[in-house]
Amino acid sequence: MATSQANVFTVVSKFYDEYVTTTPQRLKIIDAYLAYIMLTGIFQFGYCLLVGTFPFNSFLSGFISCVASFVLGVCLRVQVNPQNRKDFLHISPERAFADFVFAHIILHLVVMNFIG
Amino acid sequence: MAGESNIRTALSNPAGWQSLLSFSILALAYLAAFSSRLFAVIRFESIIHEFDPWFNYRSTHHLVNYGFYNFLNWFDERAWYPLGRIVGGTVYPGLMVTAGTIHWLLNSLHITVHIRDVCVFLAPTFSGLTSIATYLLTKELWSQGAGLLAACFIAIVPGYISRSVAGSYDNEGIAIFALLFTYFLWVKSVKTGSIFWAGCTALAYFYMVSAWGGYVYIINLIPLHVFVLLLMGRFSYRIFVAYCAFFILGLLLSMQVPFVGFQPIRTSEHMASAGVFALLIAYGFLKYLHTHLSSLTKSEMRSLFFFAVAASAAAVLMAVVYLTYAGYVAPWSGRFYSLYDTGYAKIHIPIIASVSEHQPTTWVSFFFDLHVLVCTFPAGVWFCIKKINDERVFIVLYAISASYFAGVMVRLMLTLTPVVCILSAIAFSNVLERYLVDDTPKVHHIEDESEDDEEGDKRNKSKDLYDKVTKTAGKVRKIRHEPSGEPESLGGNVKTIVVMAVMMILMMFAVHCTWVTSNAYSSPSVVLASYNHDGSRNILDDFREAYYWLRQNTDDHSRVMSWWDYGYQIAGMANRTTLVDNNTWNNSHIALVGKAMSSNETRAYEIMKALDVDYVLVIFGGVIGYSGDDINKFLWMVRIAEGEHPKEIREGDYFTPQGEFRVDKAGSKTLLNCLMYKLCYYRFGEMQLDFRTPPGFDRTRNVEIGNKDISFQHLEEAYTTEHWLVRIYKVKKQDNRVRLDHTVRKTDIKPKTKFTSRKSGKRKRGFIKNKLLIKKGKRPSSKNKKPSRKSSSKK
């Protein structure tokens, strides 16, 4: 038992070390942004559990706004990651960021409409 | 001189010719699509057809007159009396908003077009756009030549024309365009993996959601595509980006339509997309970990990886099942469940089963609607499977699911038609590529080849310009290519024969499509036409005659009761309040109307009084032989009424003891005395249509009616049209004195003999009749039972 736990712990620490050393600065910034969005989403959901879902459309628009921002951030990170270059041959990082902004414009316009 | 050589290089530039040809072919396809749908407008007039479009037209009229927000919040109190209908929340606004926007745009440019004309010609305009969308989709899937063929096919194919003819102002007219455009954008996003294309897909999906209830097909087919790609091991980050961005934006956008509301997170139909979303995120995350932890042993990681993916898929499935079981997620609604279990609707939801468009498809309809394309469609599927890639998996899945649905319901032939056009175009394009290419090495042989083919082309002159131009485009393009380097080269004769055969088949296809459009799908249904022996036309305009009589001769607030088929037309043309209409959202209300039509007059009058009915309208086709009248629909009225009131209405009562449905003397008594029978055949027994047939001969059922002696107690005839097609009756108010059922006791009987009293003024001595005479010494007669006594007692 102890050995398997030690195994898991070593795997996690190894992963953390590898992450800190190998990922470029850009991706770390995006990861920090993603962590912040996730915290916001968790807070919103917790608030909904406490208070109830009365203006359901408002809760949905706020929560889905968090989820969508997270998803779009993940997509941006995937496209910008130099390891995935062969998957995205025609998309430069600048193009990826422009698409990201375009999607966010659509997202926030709809959220404004839906929030009531 | 430099200018000359510039012009020469420009003229011989193949890319320039190619784009010019594509543009002109697409323009001709647009024109063909538009003009092929105009038969009804040229033969009759620019009028809205059928039943459903009348409601759409009325809503668009309301939108144009009162503005967008008043349309979105409209509560219609002139339908479903006394319940009313919340139109804003129960309608897909895309169609009305599109027509309203075009109307506003044209009017602001001072091109004053009436909204009715915009509505009538909207469907042909969008069908041209559909052919362009099909071209784009097929170009992404295969090649430009196949795209041009597909555009030409879908421009004239009858399966699509049936729902998008000029005057058919219905959701499918714009929905098929939105469907194909969404699919094109999805294929583009899968190929590029860009968030921009995924966002555009979400916007097109939003337009589709606002246009038609069939958007459920998109939101289930795209997750199925992603799931199958995962199963095939074709995961790549492009699919991850495309689907995640599309799903989350599409989810939020689809909830903006009031009719859809919160359904995307609450009903089973949308759970597949959410499940695949969760699975895809789990898969992507695990793959990311997999690449980072590649330092560990490969095999260990691989097995762990597969196990983790399977576990997450199982977890997602368990979550969905639990949510459905716990009631948070609604189960599949009746409309979609009946696609899976085809016997379900007939037993539980007779209204869905009674619609003629929901019946299973016959083999004939496949050929009638698609002609040769249905034969070459499997060949296209095979080609796509042979040279598989990510987007061809999508089209194969679309083909398989659409084939299943088209077999279940006639109405869904419409969703099969685009994929059949695309895959047949791929098949034809493959054939033409193989047989039009020249792989002969010598240059003058190439020129001979092209001359032969061009002469063959000119010999087979076809009426359809675009068809000929298409073949030329295919040929010109292929000749400029390098030889394909096939191992065997076919002789010139074989190639010419094959190309000519293919062209003849395509010409026959074009002729068939035009014939079907002209004969079968171009009738307005509101106006009927029949042709005499000498070919002259006889127009039966009874429907409009009756509706306009209602419009001009009845009070504005009067209520009309009819079967639900005619509700929208009455509301649109006659502008009167109706009880039930084609929306069929309230089954109990329709069952009440059905019960009123199936009961005898007294019971029906009670129901009509409770619902404040002023007029009753029935359709009767016995004089002209019209087979879509209310007597032919009567059994459905009985079934629907029996569903709600099984104790009072029994379907078996309306059949003869042998089980037949007859309206002549042998018909069942219940049928011959019900309200619908009386309303249809009132005074028909006096009418003799032909000297060969007796009076009261029903031309539709081909029998002489059984009950000719019809009289009404609570109704009176208000209007019957020229050919007795529409009959309107007025419901009378209650009598002041209620007539009794039994015969009144007679109190004025004079007796036959006059009674005279025997009492008089004279005093007469009374006497005893039949007095007993006793003689002394003799016994009294044995007749007297008294014992004899001595006469000494009598002194």
Side-chain angles (χ1 to χ4, degrees), chain B residues 347-391:
Chain B
I347 307 167
H348 296 272
I349 321 173
I351 284 199
I352 293 184
S354 73
V355 180
S356 66
E357 293 176 315
H358 292 182
Q359 305 309 317
T361 326
T362 56
W363 290 107
V364 181
S365 326
F366 280 101
F367 184 76
F368 194 68
D369 278 345
L370 298 169
H371 199 248
V372 72
L373 299 185
V374 76
C375 311
T376 50
F377 154 68
V381 176
W382 185 78
F383 279 125
C384 279
I385 294 180
K386 194 172 156 196
K387 299 182 189 167
I388 199 82
N389 62 17
D390 289 345
E391 50 271 15

Side-chain angles (χ1 to χ4, degrees), chain B residues 612-688:
Chain B
D612 286 345
V613 176
D614 291 317
Y615 290 92
V616 184
L617 187 146
V618 290
I619 306 287
F620 170 58
V623 171
I624 56 170
Y626 179 64
S627 61
D629 67 349
D630 279 354
I631 295 280
N632 278 354
K633 290 179 192 165
F634 183 61
L635 277 176
W636 284 110
M637 297 186 200
V638 173
R639 283 178 195 136
I640 292 174
E642 186 181 359
E644 295 279 328
H645 308 273
K647 292 201 180 65
E648 288 130 25
I649 312 274
R650 275 169 296 273
E651 192 185 340
D653 290 345
Y654 295 87
F655 290 105
T656 61
Q658 293 84 19
E660 296 172 325
F661 180 75
R662 296 175 69 154
V663 295
D664 53 3
K665 276 198 168 32
S668 82
K669 283 284 155 268
T670 334
L671 174 65
L672 262 50
N673 286 319
C674 73
L675 184 70
M676 175 57 75
Y677 188 94
K678 284 181 159 182
L679 290 175
C680 286
Y681 291 122
Y682 179 62
R683 298 191 63 186
F684 186 58
E686 304 159 21
M687 186 176 184
Q688 187 168 23

Side-chain angles (χ1 to χ4, degrees), chain A residues 15 18 60 64 67-68 71 74-75 77-79 84 87-88 91 95 99 102-103 107 110-111 113-114, chain B residues 192-196 203 237-238 240-241 244 248-249 251-253 255-256 262 265-266 277 288-289 292:
Chain A
F15 174 69
E18 218 178 306
L60 265 186
I64 292 185
V67 173
V71 164
V74 168
C75 292
R77 188 190 197 282
V78 160
Q79 283 180 336
N84 298 334
D87 272 343
F88 297 102
I91 301 184
R95 162 86 195 265
D99 292 345
F102 171 73
L107 172 69
V110 181
V111 164
N113 180 41
F114 198 39
Chain B
T192 59
S194 144
I195 299 180
F196 169 71
L203 286 174
Y237 279 113
R238 283 193 309 273
F240 177 81
V241 167
C244 290
I248 201 65
L249 287 176
L251 179 75
L252 196 57
L253 280 166
M255 290 202 273
Q256 304 308 304
F262 299 126
I265 53 170
R266 274 204 186 145
F277 175 67
Y288 171 71
L289 287 183
H292 256 271

Side-chain angles (χ1 to χ4, degrees), chain B residues 22-77:
Chain B
S22 310
F23 179 76
S24 50
I25 291 171
L26 282 178
L28 285 171
Y30 193 111
L31 270 179
F34 189 87
S35 45
S36 151
R37 286 160 166 82
L38 293 181
F39 279 105
V41 173
I42 295 173
R43 286 176 183 167
F44 300 94
E45 59 184 274
S46 149
I47 186 180
I48 308 276
H49 298 181
E50 305 261 323
F51 302 105
D52 275 354
W54 276 101
F55 171 71
N56 296 332
Y57 172 61
R58 188 163 157 254
S59 319
T60 317
H61 199 71
H62 197 268
L63 167 67
V64 164
N65 282 342
Y66 297 107
F68 178 66
Y69 282 107
N70 283 330
F71 165 72
L72 217 54
N73 297 324
W74 185 24
F75 178 80
D76 187 16
E77 70 273 356

